[in-house]
Amino acid sequence: LRPGHRVLDGERAELDGRTFGFVGGGLRSRYRTPYELDDEIYAAKLDAVGEVDVLCTHIPPAVPELLYDTVARRLERGSEALLETVRKTQPRFALFGHVHQPLTRRARVGRTECINVGHFAATGTPHVLDW
């Protein structure tokens, strides 16, 4: 980190009048990737964030069509706790990455638009939030 920078993990921030929550890391898997967490620790970070307008995470909620990587031909691990948080708090957006070549880039859970914004690396086009 550079001086004046701060990592927001399990925290909230207000940007342009909207509340954003940030939860980093992924869940334990057989791939043993960096920053894997126990389910309980991940869920506690989600609880610490609370209700927000936009929930930003590294991994997707446990929605099958958001988890399947078409190039690797496998399901990645999503979070049941994240899915439950989205169902309960209904943020306007749930933004995530992790799945590099998703079967689908977005899905709706209740009123929440769940979007794989990390997919821009493959398309070269960043995602712009449409309020």
Side-chain angles (χ1 to χ4, degrees):
L1 291 176
R2 294 183 182 160
H5 288 186
R6 180 174 153 213
V7 173
L8 298 171
D9 187 11
E11 297 181 57
R12 310 154 51 106
E14 189 163 315
L15 302 167
D16 201 27
R18 311 241 192 248
T19 305
F20 287 71
F22 300 91
V23 176
L27 298 175
R28 301 250 180 247
S29 72
R30 65 182 175 165
Y31 307 112
R32 299 180 182 205
T33 56
Y35 308 107
E36 288 186 349
L37 305 168
D38 292 329
D39 288 45
E40 300 77 24
I41 293 170
Y42 193 82
K45 290 200 301 184
L46 287 165
D47 287 342
V49 166
E51 291 189 25
V52 294
D53 298 310
V54 181
L55 183 54
C56 304
T57 61
H58 177 72
I59 61 175
V63 175
E65 59 268 26
L66 297 175
L67 303 178
Y68 189 76
D69 189 310
T70 60
V71 172
R73 295 187 198 175
R74 68 175 185 226
L75 282 172
E76 296 292 343
R77 185 150 185 231
S79 170
E80 291 289 341
L82 175 54
L83 179 57
E84 185 56 35
T85 296
V86 167
R87 285 180 175 146
K88 183 174 75 177
T89 65
Q90 293 289 288
R92 174 72 181 93
F93 296 103
L95 308 178
F96 55 90
H98 187 63
V99 180
H100 296 196
Q101 300 294 327
L103 181 62
T104 186
R105 213 171 58 80
R106 59 194 320 147
R108 186 169 286 285
V109 175
R111 77 172 203 100
T112 302
E113 190 72 25
C114 300
I115 307 169
N116 184 331
V117 297
H119 186 59
F120 79 89
T123 65
T125 305
H127 184 80
V128 176
L129 289 178
D130 184 15
W131 296 98

